[in-house]
Amino acid sequence: MGALLWSLLLLLQEAKGFSGDDEDPEEVVAALQESISLSLEIPSDEEVKDIIWFFQKNLVTVVPRKEGKSTVMLTMDPRYRGRVGISESSYSLSISNLTWEDSGLYQAKVSLNTSQLFITKSYDLRVYRRLSKPHITVSLKISEEGACNISLMCSIERAGMDVTYTWLSSQDSTNVSHEDSVISTSWRPGDRALSYTCRASNPVSNSSSRLISVGSFCADLGSPEKPSMSCLLAKGLILLFLLVILAVVLCVFQTRKNRELSRVRKLKRNRIQLRKKGSPGPSPV
């Protein structure tokens, strides 16, 4: 009876260990198309019989050999052939060239020769893409009061999941942050030009945009109904300059025309005088 109860207790412990319900999975993050290593911590005084790694099904079975011989992997999921490796010393599982499909729950079951119990370890692997440089979209609108209202939207191409956006601005020597993909502000001529930087982050990377100066977008804009005095003065000077040039051109043209007419009249008078001098007198009777 005692032997039967002991056997039942061992079965319950094995079932608990294999299910992974005895502890929460360790969260692990990795970058797309890169590598990850899932490590094991096995007591040095324990002799390992075999290790089975699970992912949705039996991923790989590892049988340690005697000293001087390499570890043997008996079975392997064909989807991971060429991408999975086992450490000779720690029996850690390494996966290279990660894909989206590699995300999920991994479990390792380590059977020991020194006892009928085994060690289990669980990992929750999440794969993310490294972020590219943020793209900034600018929207402007001039109010009736002459204020320049500006909205900056930060976005990442193929961002994926779990991306956070933070706007950083230096104002009055204090860093001000705004956690959202869009930030709105206003600017008037004479105001101190504010500058913003968008920083995007996910669990494996972060990337920042170039510095965006609000005043650079609004400085050349104004209300068409209320143009500034400097603008009116500049336009008046340009118009006056054009009128002066036109008057000079007309004066030069008229002077040349008068000279040409005077020359033509003089030539006509000379021709008439020559004709009078060369005409014959009356014939004698």
Side-chain angles (χ1 to χ4, degrees), residues 180-248:
D180 197 357
S181 61
V182 179
I183 187 171
S184 299
T185 185
S186 62
W187 182 88
R188 292 174 179 272
D191 290 351
R192 186 171 68 88
L194 297 179
S195 298
Y196 294 90
T197 300
C198 173
R199 184 174 64 192
S201 305
N202 69 1
V204 298
S205 65
N206 60 77
S207 181
S208 298
S209 70
R210 63 182 178 86
L211 193 65
I212 304 296
S213 176
V214 173
S216 63
F217 292 99
C218 298
D220 296 333
L221 298 179
S223 175
E225 292 81 5
K226 298 179 181 180
S228 63
M229 291 301 297
S230 59
C231 181
L232 290 175
L233 180 60
K235 290 181 178 180
L237 290 175
I238 292 174
L239 181 60
L240 178 61
F241 179 71
L242 293 176
L243 290 175
V244 170
I245 292 178
L246 180 60
V248 171

Side-chain angles (χ1 to χ4, degrees), residues 15-25 105 107 120 122:
K16 183 179 180 181
F18 180 74
S19 66
D21 294 336
D22 55 334
E23 63 177 8
D24 294 331
L105 182 64
Q107 292 180 318
T120 61
S122 301

Side-chain angles (χ1 to χ4, degrees), residues 76-111:
M76 180 181 292
D77 190 334
R79 297 176 302 169
Y80 290 86
R81 196 171 301 279
R83 297 197 299 125
V84 165
I86 298 293
S87 170
E88 293 285 344
S89 57
S90 63
Y91 309 111
S92 300
L93 176 72
S94 61
I95 308 173
S96 61
N97 195 21
L98 290 168
T99 66
W100 298 121
E101 290 74 19
D102 294 331
S103 298
L105 182 64
Y106 289 78
Q107 292 180 318
K109 174 186 174 183
V110 182
S111 299

Side-chain angles (χ1 to χ4, degrees), residues 17-88:
F18 180 74
S19 66
D21 294 336
D22 55 334
E23 63 177 8
D24 294 331
E26 178 183 342
E27 292 188 1
V28 180
V29 297
L32 184 68
Q33 298 180 345
E34 296 184 15
S35 302
I36 189 65
S37 179
L38 306 179
S39 60
L40 290 176
E41 296 181 1
I42 302 174
S44 58
D45 57 344
E46 296 286 356
E47 184 179 349
V48 177
K49 180 180 179 181
D50 59 48
I51 303 106
I52 303 177
W53 282 94
F54 296 89
F55 177 65
Q56 299 175 354
K57 58 181 180 179
N58 191 339
L59 174 59
V60 61
T61 301
V62 182
V63 178
R65 289 293 185 90
K66 294 182 180 180
E67 187 175 354
K69 295 185 178 180
S70 60
T71 301
V72 177
M73 292 186 290
L74 296 180
T75 60
M76 180 181 292
D77 190 334
R79 297 176 302 169
Y80 290 86
R81 196 171 301 279
R83 297 197 299 125
V84 165
I86 298 293
S87 170
E88 293 285 344

Side-chain angles (χ1 to χ4, degrees), residues 5 14 43 46 51 71 82 107 113 129 132 134 158 166 168 170 174 179-180 202 213 227 249 256 261 273 283:
L5 291 175
E14 290 183 0
E46 296 286 356
I51 303 106
T71 301
Q107 292 180 318
N113 281 327
R129 186 191 305 275
S132 59
R158 298 187 297 175
T166 304
L168 301 177
S170 178
T174 304
E179 295 186 358
D180 197 357
N202 69 1
S213 176
V249 170
R256 290 183 177 181
L261 289 175
Q273 292 176 359
S283 300

